[in-house]
């Protein structure tokens, strides 16, 4: 990462060549660095629903909302289905169906909307992913990504896995335990990835929904590197209860267990899981509650997934970051501040022999920029940024806007 940044500074004429012993390979690397586009931040949501499953609006209306509210990409992840083939809905079966349909026609025109009348009822054909993406996808401006929420269970426990950038629908795989069901569905996603050569990314969704999945279950997974540390649905128990940990506490339990066992880091996503697009409130699953901001050179599904898998992103419920930098030893966070808002940057990670959750706080800094350098004592470090700004349309009273950077571990040559 350091060499790449040095090359870019040289390309802009603001730094010396980063490679002293020039060779053909070094020259080619410098040419590639100078010709490649500069990486930038892209805001997106990886989990939301439409009329294709249990959302309450047309996919075009939903994608329009995200585009018009400053997002760069969105993945509609309906349950156990892709937006392909023919699906018709009867507007008389939809709550407030006439009003919703009128808004849809007003927004996209009668030439776009496909209707038919049967027995006096108006039926509307839902547009497929390949159809509606033509309205929205613009190079370097906005991207729709095909996704599915594979919705499985073990006994009475719901176990759901999202597949982002999926090619063909995957049916729930089942299993003999919570862990087995999760692993079977993740394996099915990864098998499609291997078979197609397409970068399809699984992630475990809302682990505390009906208290289905434990930190121990997540820590034991193979091939899974993502889970939802924040989900904007009102029924998912992000904060836990008096007996069970919230998702952020789970994250540190997962990380500690996995890294001590020599497994990969697990990254934390923030998502909407939106189902309700007409009316706001704490009992509704509304859009705009949680998102990821991904650093990638181009706005393509392949590059967004690649950046996510490299951990080059942060998750947020409102706080915007100007930069997150990691040089192999020091994590630096810089906030894009808002007027009259104060910020606390909290560096989190377990030291050798640490016990309770209070021991995970490595340092607290009040301000808009802070750094933390790992020593030999920490297993990893991540940052949580807490603002004094009230969260708009919160699920629970008193929420403020926050952001989470992804955990990093020291490179061998600088500390471990």
């Amino acid at each position: 990462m350091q060499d790449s940044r040095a090359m870019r500074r040289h390309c802009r004429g603001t730094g010396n060549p980063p490679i002293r012993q020039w060779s053909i390979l070094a020259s080619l690397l410098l040419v590639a660095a100078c010709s490649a586009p500069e990486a930038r931040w892209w805001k997106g949501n990886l989990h939301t629903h439409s009329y294709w499953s249990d959302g309450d609006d047309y996919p075009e209306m939903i994608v329009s909302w995200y585009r018009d509210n400053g997002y760069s990409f969105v993945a509609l992840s309906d349950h156990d289905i892709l937006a392909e083939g023919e699906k018709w809905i009867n507007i008389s079966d939809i709550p407030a169906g006439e009003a919703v349909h009128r808004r849809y026609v007003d927004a996209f025109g009668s030439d776009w909307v496909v209707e038919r009348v049967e027995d006096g009822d108006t039926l509307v054909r839902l547009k497929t992913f390949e159809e509606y993406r033509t309205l929205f996808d613009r190079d370097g401006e906005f991207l729709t990504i095909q996704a599915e929420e594979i919705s499985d269970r073990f006994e009475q426990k719901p176990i759901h896995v999202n597949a982002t950038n999926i090619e063909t629908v995957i049916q729930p795989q089942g299993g003999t335990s919570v862990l087995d069901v999760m692993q079977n569905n993740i394996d099915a996603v990864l098998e499609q990835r291997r078979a197609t050569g397409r970068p399809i990314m699984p992630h475990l969704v809302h682990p505390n929904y009906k208290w289905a999945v434990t930190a121990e279950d997540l820590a034991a997974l193979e091939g899974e590197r993502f889970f939802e540390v924040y989900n904007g649905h009102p029924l998912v128990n992000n904060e836990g209860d008096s007996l069970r940990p919230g998702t952020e506490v789970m994250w540190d339990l997962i990380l500690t267990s996995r890294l001590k066992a020599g497994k990969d880091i697990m990254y934390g996503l923030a998502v909407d899981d939106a189902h309700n697009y007409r009316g706001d409130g704490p009992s509704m699953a509304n859009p705009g509650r949680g998102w990821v901001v991904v650093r990638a050179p181009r706005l393509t599904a392949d590059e967004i997934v690649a950046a996510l898998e490299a951990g080059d992103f942060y998750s947020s419920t409102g706080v915007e970051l100007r930069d997150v930098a990691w040089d192999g030893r020091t994590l630096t966070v810089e906030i894009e501040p808002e007027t009259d808002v104060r910020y606390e940057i909290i560096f989190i990670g377990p030291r050798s022999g640490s016990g309770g959750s209070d021991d995970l706080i490595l340092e607290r800094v009040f301000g808009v920029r802070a750094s933390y350098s790992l020593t030999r004592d920490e297993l990893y470090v991540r940052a949580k940024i807490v603002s004094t700004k009230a969260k708009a349309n919160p699920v629970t009273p008193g929420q403020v806007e926050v952001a989470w950077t992804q955990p990093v571990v020291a490179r061998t040559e600088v500390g471990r």
Side-chain angles (χ1 to χ4, degrees):
M1 182 180 291
Q2 280 181 304
D3 288 345
S4 174
R5 287 181 177 174
M7 284 184 178
R8 292 193 183 280
R9 287 196 300 271
H10 175 67
C11 294
R12 294 192 298 264
T14 58
N16 294 322
I19 303 171
R20 294 179 181 178
Q21 300 298 322
W22 288 100
S23 64
I24 293 175
L25 176 59
S27 299
L28 290 173
L29 287 171
L30 186 59
V31 169
C34 292
S35 60
E38 190 84 38
R40 53 160 289 191
W41 294 112
W42 310 95
K43 177 181 177 180
N45 179 35
L46 297 171
H47 188 172
T48 194
H49 299 275
S50 75
Y51 276 148
W52 277 92
S53 62
D54 58 348
D56 68 2
D57 213 339
Y58 295 92
E60 303 98 300
M61 298 295 289
I62 296 165
V63 176
S64 291
W65 187 95
Y66 283 99
R67 180 198 61 188
D68 296 344
N69 281 273
Y71 289 70
S72 299
F73 65 91
V74 65
L76 271 62
S77 53
D78 283 301
H79 295 273
D80 303 321
I81 193 171
L82 296 182
E84 59 187 12
E86 283 204 7
K87 181 172 182 177
W88 295 78
I89 59 171
N90 188 329
I91 64 173
S92 65
D93 295 335
I94 301 168
E98 291 286 351
V100 176
H101 184 61
R102 191 161 50 249
R103 280 196 320 142
Y104 177 47
V105 175
D106 288 346
F108 293 96
S110 57
D111 290 342
W112 174 260
V113 179
V114 179
E115 303 176 2
R116 71 176 187 230
V117 177
E118 289 186 359
D119 300 324
D121 289 334
T122 300
L123 279 65
V124 183
R125 182 175 70 80
L126 295 181
K127 294 292 187 174
T128 66
F129 173 76
E130 293 299 334
E131 287 176 310
Y132 69 70
R133 73 184 302 184
T134 64
L135 294 180
F136 301 103
D137 285 13
R138 297 291 181 271
D139 188 30
E141 296 179 13
F142 193 83
L143 173 70
T144 51
I145 302 175
Q146 186 161 249
E148 176 195 357
E149 183 172 352
I150 306 164
S151 306
D152 213 334
R153 65 177 50 248
F154 176 70
E155 296 176 346
Q156 300 305 309
K157 295 181 176 181
I159 302 163
H160 297 186
V161 172
N162 267 25
T164 300
N165 199 32
I166 194 170
E167 184 167 294
T168 58
V169 70
I170 295 174
Q171 296 302 321
Q173 302 294 298
T176 59
S177 67
V178 169
L179 177 58
D180 193 43
V181 171
M182 284 196 298
Q183 191 66 65
N184 289 342
N185 284 290
I186 289 159
D187 288 348
V189 176
L190 296 177
E191 175 55 35
Q192 186 175 127
R193 176 175 176 144
R194 283 189 290 269
T196 63
R198 182 174 179 147
I200 306 168
M201 187 189 94
H203 86 255
L204 193 284
V205 309
H206 48 57
N208 273 351
Y209 177 51
K210 297 189 177 179
W211 311 106
V213 178
T214 66
E216 291 76 15
D217 293 325
L218 282 162
L221 285 171
E222 300 289 343
E224 175 60 285
R225 299 182 62 200
F226 300 90
F227 88 116
E228 292 176 356
V229 70
Y230 177 87
N231 178 302
H233 197 289
L235 301 178
V236 299
N237 303 301
N238 289 319
E239 297 176 5
D241 64 10
S242 61
L243 299 176
R244 290 158 292 206
T247 48
E248 189 171 1
V249 173
M250 290 175 68
W251 196 8
D252 290 307
L253 294 171
I254 294 161
L255 287 167
T256 300
S257 176
R258 289 178 69 86
L259 290 172
K260 285 184 175 179
K263 293 185 176 182
D264 287 335
I265 279 177
M266 187 165 283
Y267 297 125
L269 305 170
V271 302
D272 278 341
D273 196 1
H275 292 70
N276 308 122
Y277 307 92
R278 293 174 285 108
D280 297 336
S283 65
M284 305 183 81
N286 294 138
R289 284 184 170 146
W291 54 86
V292 292
V293 187
V294 183
R295 183 160 44 196
R298 298 178 184 85
L299 185 60
T300 68
D302 287 7
E303 298 214 32
I304 291 296
V305 170
L308 286 163
E309 292 182 337
D312 203 358
F313 72 100
Y314 67 91
S315 297
S316 181
T317 67
V319 172
E320 183 180 352
L321 302 184
R322 183 175 294 168
D323 193 25
V324 181
W326 169 245
D327 66 4
R329 180 177 177 183
T330 300
L331 176 63
T332 301
V333 177
E334 186 174 1
I335 298 164
E336 191 69 61
E338 293 188 54
T339 304
D340 298 326
V341 178
R342 298 186 303 279
Y343 301 90
E344 182 182 17
I345 302 170
I346 307 168
F347 292 101
I348 299 167
R351 292 188 176 95
S352 299
S354 64
S357 59
D358 288 344
D359 292 332
L360 296 177
I361 304 299
L362 299 170
E363 188 174 356
R364 296 177 181 268
V365 178
F366 292 92
V368 298
R369 190 180 189 278
S371 297
Y372 185 85
S373 295
L374 284 172
T375 69
R376 292 180 180 273
D377 293 331
E378 304 93 349
L379 190 61
Y380 63 87
V381 64
R382 62 182 182 85
K384 180 178 182 179
I385 301 88
V386 181
S387 78
T388 57
K389 183 179 179 181
K391 170 69 178 163
N393 188 26
V395 175
T396 57
Q399 285 184 314
V400 295
E401 293 183 349
V402 301
W404 300 267
T405 73
Q406 299 310 306
V408 290
V409 298
R411 289 205 301 249
T412 302
E413 67 268 23
V414 294
R416 300 205 72 82

